[in-house]
Amino acid sequence: MRVLGIDCGSARTGYGVIESDGAQHRMVAAGVIRTDVKSPFERRLLQIAGELRGLIRQHAPGSGAVEGVFYSTNVKTALKLAHVRGIALLVIAEAGMELAEYSPLEVKTSVVGYGRAEKCQVQMMVRSLLRLPEAIESEDACDALAVAICHATHQAASRRLA
């Protein structure tokens, strides 16, 4: 299965595409969609949508996975994140892809085995699971790959149980 993982952010939206059978994972692509924080917010959302559509056309994933909104003490930040998540959900739905959402706790538990894992532990496990020669430098891209791995693992477990 080919999965697009998305780590939403209004300044930096991470993405990661993997090919997986649920046990073995291979990175296809990873990166960050960067927007100009000085641009009007609606323009930034439009850019994110356009680049996500391009990624879907280029890599043809069968499903998309997005990290759920986490609790934030800054309401303004949480609201912007929710807008970007809405764009990601819309683009996935437009493409007719299967959608899954996972909490940060579910992603960390799936990838590291511990829901309160630190960022460096997630980076180390993503590198290990994808058999990469070096760590993914961008935390946003690494988090997106972790979301994709979480989804592939959950899908494989669901198929085994069915």
Side-chain angles (χ1 to χ4, degrees), residues 59-111:
H59 299 292
S63 57
V66 180
E67 193 169 68
V69 176
F70 56 90
Y71 175 76
S72 175
T73 54
N74 186 332
V75 175
K76 198 171 181 179
T77 301
L79 190 55
K80 283 186 175 183
L81 175 64
H83 283 79
V84 176
R85 284 188 74 255
I87 292 298
L89 301 181
L90 172 69
V91 169
I92 290 168
E94 282 178 341
M97 295 164 46
E98 173 187 312
L99 169 69
E101 298 179 72
Y102 299 98
S103 71
L105 184 81
E106 288 174 299
V107 173
K108 290 176 180 180
T109 300
S110 180
V111 173

Side-chain angles (χ1 to χ4, degrees), residues 93-146:
E94 282 178 341
M97 295 164 46
E98 173 187 312
L99 169 69
E101 298 179 72
Y102 299 98
S103 71
L105 184 81
E106 288 174 299
V107 173
K108 290 176 180 180
T109 300
S110 180
V111 173
V112 179
Y114 176 59
R116 304 273 184 242
E118 298 293 326
K119 288 269 188 192
C120 62
Q121 292 172 301
V122 174
Q123 280 185 313
M124 185 177 70
M125 285 306 298
V126 165
R127 176 184 177 191
S128 175
L129 290 168
L130 294 173
R131 296 173 307 286
L132 300 172
E134 49 193 55
I136 301 288
E137 283 189 35
S138 164
E139 284 185 2
D140 302 298
C142 187
D143 288 349
L145 287 166

